[in-house]
Amino acid sequence: MGAEQVITGLTRGGTPWVAQFVTALDEGKCIGCGRCFKVCPRDVLTIVQRAVDDVDFDDDDDDDDDSDNSFMTLSNAMDCIGCEACSRVCPKACFTHSPMALAA
Ligand code: SF4
Ligand code: SF4
C-alpha cells in the first residue's frame, strides 16, 4: 500500500509542487482588509458587510480601522488552485489550507 497521492502542479522548470487548497476562512478573525481578494487569481473570495447589529458605528474611539465592518468569505472554494497567495498576504492568519487526494 503506497502513500496517498495528492494533487500536484509543475513549475515551468518541471519541478512538482503540492497544491494547498483553501479549506476554511476564519471570518471571525478577518478584518476585511481585502488583501487576499486582490491577490487571488481565481475569484474564490467575496467580501461582505457584517450584519448591522455587529457593526460599531461610533468609529472614533477604540476602533481606528473602517475595514472591519466587512469580512471575506469563500464564495467559490471549488475554483481554488491551492497557490497560497491569500495566506501570504493575510495579516490575521485567517486561512486554513490542505492538500487534496487525487480522485481514484
Ligand atoms: S490558495 Fe490561491 S486560488 Fe486559492 S483562495 Fe488562496 S489565492 Fe485564491
Ligand atoms: S487578507 Fe485576511 S484579514 Fe484581510 S480580508 Fe483577507 S482574510 Fe480578511
Side-chain angles (χ1 to χ4, degrees):
M1 221 167 67
E4 185 179 51
Q5 283 197 304
V6 296
I7 294 175
T8 59
L10 291 176
T11 67
R12 183 175 174 181
T15 305
W17 58 277
V18 175
Q20 296 285 345
F21 299 101
V22 169
T23 56
L25 193 172
D26 188 335
E27 296 170 358
K29 283 201 290 186
C30 176
I31 58 170
C33 68
R35 290 176 193 169
C36 56
F37 181 83
K38 287 180 190 158
V39 299
C40 179
R42 303 295 296 187
D43 294 333
V44 173
L45 307 164
T46 300
I47 198 156
V48 299
Q49 297 296 308
R50 290 197 189 278
V52 174
D53 288 350
D54 296 341
V55 175
D56 176 9
F57 286 108
D58 184 14
D59 220 10
D60 51 13
D61 47 14
D62 59 336
D63 184 355
D64 58 359
D65 186 352
D66 289 339
S67 63
D68 63 1
N69 289 347
S70 47
F71 63 99
M72 200 61 65
T73 59
L74 287 174
S75 50
N76 297 302
M78 290 304 157
D79 285 341
C80 177
I81 59 170
C83 68
E84 294 184 276
C86 49
S87 277
R88 284 178 173 253
V89 297
C90 179
K92 294 292 181 180
C94 294
F95 292 93
T96 304
H97 297 260
S98 179
M100 211 176 133
L102 268 176

